[in-house]
Amino acid sequence: MVFGRCSHKDMLRAASSKKQICPCSLPQAIWVGDQTFCKSTVDESSSLGCLDLHAPTFTISKEFPIRPHDDSDEFDIDLVCKLEADKATFTQKELKRRVGEEIKAYAKANSMNNDPEEGKRCWTLVYSKDDKFHMDILPALPDEGGFRTYLENRGHMQAASQAHVVDHAIAITDQLDENYDRYSDAWPVSNPKGFALWFASKHRQEVERRKKIRVNDGTYMKVDDVPDYKVKTPLQQTIQLLKRHRDNMFKGSDDAPISIIITTLSAHSYRGEQSLSAALKTILTDMENHIENRGTEKWVVNPVNPEESMR
């Protein structure tokens, strides 16, 4: 696979060429998105080479990174490795093993000092301490049809009809799932691309307004020329501030709210404010209204899966 022959710098350059993110300033890149950056080709040396599959596609998706709280922290890059296959081809365990073999081959080919680490759902590539970042790689299969049926069977007809909810759904691996080591149609589901599209819809008008300002001041010729990472909306800035406040307040405690909850509640509460102070006031005032009480539990509903609470 091509993945096994490109360095992490190659991958970052490829990502930047698609998303116009400067690799040398990755910590400052502010974007939510999903972009193919390394399209692998299966050859005879690959553990996947015996399968009649489309080439696996590695996808990069990143929230709003903030600088690590201290020198012991790292930046992390989340990747999805989606193979064009179906659940009849793999068990979750087998898919994870196969993808893991490719990741291990990549690490060996690039003389990495740290062996890939297998987690509950993903594989982690830990780079050198000087690089200060690691990659979490999640094995996945397409699951648009299965997820649409799942929502319809549970009465979520409106959600099942929304493209951003179902069109990008993926089936993922999870060691704790009861069907992990057997063939089954019932896999855990995720939708990082759908979430990115939902989030983008929450501040699209402000993004466009700010891009027009960059055109009017002569920085760019037209709106389409303005890279997304050159625009920071008050929503994005507020999320960065709240995440930094979280880090300072909880200092690594398990009680700290996870980033996806901060992002989801902020996006729900944002009303198109054009200044950071106005957005911060609105979001802090409104956030709790999007936390549901369901029996004894608090729910922050996943905007692309109404059956799931963000945890």
Side-chain angles (χ1 to χ4, degrees), residues 103-166:
I103 295 170
K104 290 174 183 177
Y106 165 80
K108 183 177 180 180
N110 286 276
S111 302
M112 294 177 65
N113 294 326
N114 302 296
D115 292 332
E117 301 172 1
E118 183 176 6
K120 182 181 71 171
R121 291 186 171 185
C122 62
W123 288 91
T124 298
L125 276 173
V126 180
Y127 286 82
S128 69
K129 293 182 179 179
D130 292 337
D131 286 324
K132 283 291 182 185
F133 78 89
H134 64 269
M135 291 184 179
D136 292 328
I137 303 166
L138 178 67
L141 301 175
D143 197 30
E144 296 92 334
F147 187 52
R148 180 179 290 106
T149 301
Y150 169 84
L151 292 176
E152 290 174 347
N153 289 342
R154 283 159 179 77
H156 300 292
M157 307 307 293
Q158 182 177 358
S161 67
Q162 294 175 344
H164 76 272
V165 173
V166 297

Side-chain angles (χ1 to χ4, degrees), residues 4 26 45 63-64 71 84 86 91 107 109 118-119 121-122 155 157 184 188 203 207 214 229 247 264 307:
L26 183 64
S45 66
E63 278 187 83
F64 318 105
D71 291 339
E84 296 300 324
D86 57 43
T91 64
E118 183 176 6
R121 291 186 171 185
C122 62
M157 307 307 293
S184 171
H203 67 153
V207 169
R214 303 303 298 272
Y229 80 92
D247 292 345
T264 301
E307 287 285 311

Side-chain angles (χ1 to χ4, degrees), residues 206 209-210 234 270 272-276 278-279:
E206 183 62 12
R209 189 186 74 85
R210 290 179 176 241
Y270 180 64
E273 290 80 8
Q274 296 181 1
S275 70
L276 173 58

